[in-house]
Amino acid sequence: MATNPAAAQATQDHRRRQGSLAGLVIKDVLSVWETLDPLRLDATARTWTARVADQIARHRATSQRLSAQYYQRFRGLEIGRDGWSLPRLTDSPAWRAALLVSLLVTGPVRIKRLTGRGMDPRQAADHAAPAVAAATVRQARAAGRAAMLAYLRSDPRALGYMRVTDGDPCAFCAMLASRGAVYLTKSSALTDKGNPEDGYHDGCGCEAEPVYTTTPALPEASRRFAQLYKKHAEGLPAKQARNAFRRAYEADRRAAT
Ligand SMILES: [Zn+2]
């Protein structure tokens, strides 16, 4: 967690803004969902994916801009100004291919599988829609998350980052957050574990917070996850630890509702 309360607040604001952006993505993507005709999937998939890609291109730009604003603000609050400025980023076109695969798998492929089992095509499309929405949100937010990583790597004062979860993370994200800071080794940039660019699943609401100190405090939620881990999973082999944590986390979450 940030050492400065205003910086900690900036992190929460940033996470919420990226979350609101996710809401806009879903609204947009659902507004063109009818372009994909479940009775003529092969004939309509092309137009549909092109429309969604146009929407996602816009939302990616917003997501990246939000990350830039946040990074600058957070850094200033944590360590002050020192003449460093954000590197200029260009969005790699690789996301379009990844988006296309996500769209085809969660959309037409899934609908065909469901209708193949006898489901009505329109009903099958309704079943597919939520996963399509979640996949597009991840592709949009990936731009902001990739920007965070690029800023962290170019920032000579940044030591690493912390995963900050939303209010109701999955067990996997809670466990990653409980580990606290992930320190970047700038020389092995591409092999870092817990890469903030690709460690996010569909439906994930987590963001990264830069770390400028070797003794960062965990955010309150992550502290709770860490206690849970310590009590139920510490010392176990990796896979057993993951399972033990998940069971404890889910029991804890059920008890809280
Ligand atoms: Zn998450």
Side-chain angles (χ1 to χ4, degrees), residues 10-58:
T11 297
Q12 294 306 319
D13 292 346
H14 176 239
R15 199 180 46 67
R16 270 193 286 272
R17 283 188 189 119
Q18 296 281 7
S20 306
L21 177 69
L24 291 178
V25 172
I26 291 172
K27 207 167 140 230
D28 265 6
V29 168
L30 292 182
S31 78
V32 299
W33 180 229
E34 308 245 298
T35 314
L36 183 69
D37 183 345
L39 300 171
R40 296 167 52 242
L41 288 170
D42 292 337
T44 55
R46 209 190 174 88
T47 310
W48 170 63
T49 54
R51 281 208 184 177
V52 174
D54 285 348
Q55 294 175 328
I56 298 309
R58 255 190 308 111

Side-chain angles (χ1 to χ4, degrees), residues 21-230:
L21 177 69
L24 291 178
V25 172
I26 291 172
K27 207 167 140 230
D28 265 6
V29 168
L30 292 182
S31 78
V32 299
W33 180 229
E34 308 245 298
T35 314
L36 183 69
D37 183 345
L39 300 171
R40 296 167 52 242
L41 288 170
D42 292 337
T44 55
R46 209 190 174 88
T47 310
W48 170 63
T49 54
R51 281 208 184 177
V52 174
D54 285 348
Q55 294 175 328
I56 298 309
R58 255 190 308 111
H59 292 305
R60 284 180 68 88
T62 308
S63 181
Q64 185 180 313
R65 198 172 57 243
L66 290 174
S67 286
Q69 286 163 354
Y70 161 65
Y71 200 98
Q72 204 148 32
R73 179 168 161 69
F74 182 89
R75 190 180 196 274
L77 288 164
E78 280 291 88
I79 60 171
R81 290 184 182 282
D82 60 1
W84 180 83
S85 59
L86 294 176
R88 190 174 270 289
L89 301 180
T90 46
D91 199 3
S92 149
W95 67 267
R96 287 185 181 268
L99 175 68
L100 186 63
V101 171
S102 281
L103 287 177
L104 293 177
V105 169
T106 54
V109 171
R110 174 106 198 278
I111 294 170
K112 280 181 192 173
R113 202 165 55 231
L114 293 171
T115 51
R117 283 194 221 136
M119 191 184 278
D120 170 75
R122 303 223 172 267
Q123 206 186 348
D126 288 346
H127 270 264
V132 168
T136 54
V137 164
R138 185 169 61 82
Q139 295 292 346
R141 290 183 68 164
R145 287 163 173 159
M148 286 298 298
L149 184 63
Y151 299 148
L152 284 164
R153 291 208 168 116
S154 101
D155 180 352
R157 305 273 303 271
L159 303 177
Y161 67 92
M162 244 183 222
R163 176 178 284 248
V164 181
T165 60
D166 65 13
D168 189 26
C170 68
F172 172 74
C173 288
M175 190 178 72
L176 292 181
S178 79
R179 292 179 185 160
V182 176
Y183 292 99
L184 294 167
T185 45
K186 287 181 185 171
S187 54
S188 62
L190 294 171
T191 57
D192 289 331
K193 276 194 168 163
N195 181 333
E197 186 176 1
D198 56 27
Y200 302 95
H201 54 85
D202 286 359
C204 181
C206 301
E207 289 292 336
E209 178 184 79
V211 170
Y212 291 100
T213 156
T214 52
T215 53
L218 287 173
E220 199 203 311
S222 306
R223 235 178 1 247
R224 231 172 38 240
F225 305 149
Q227 279 162 5
L228 215 54
Y229 189 91
K230 195 163 184 217

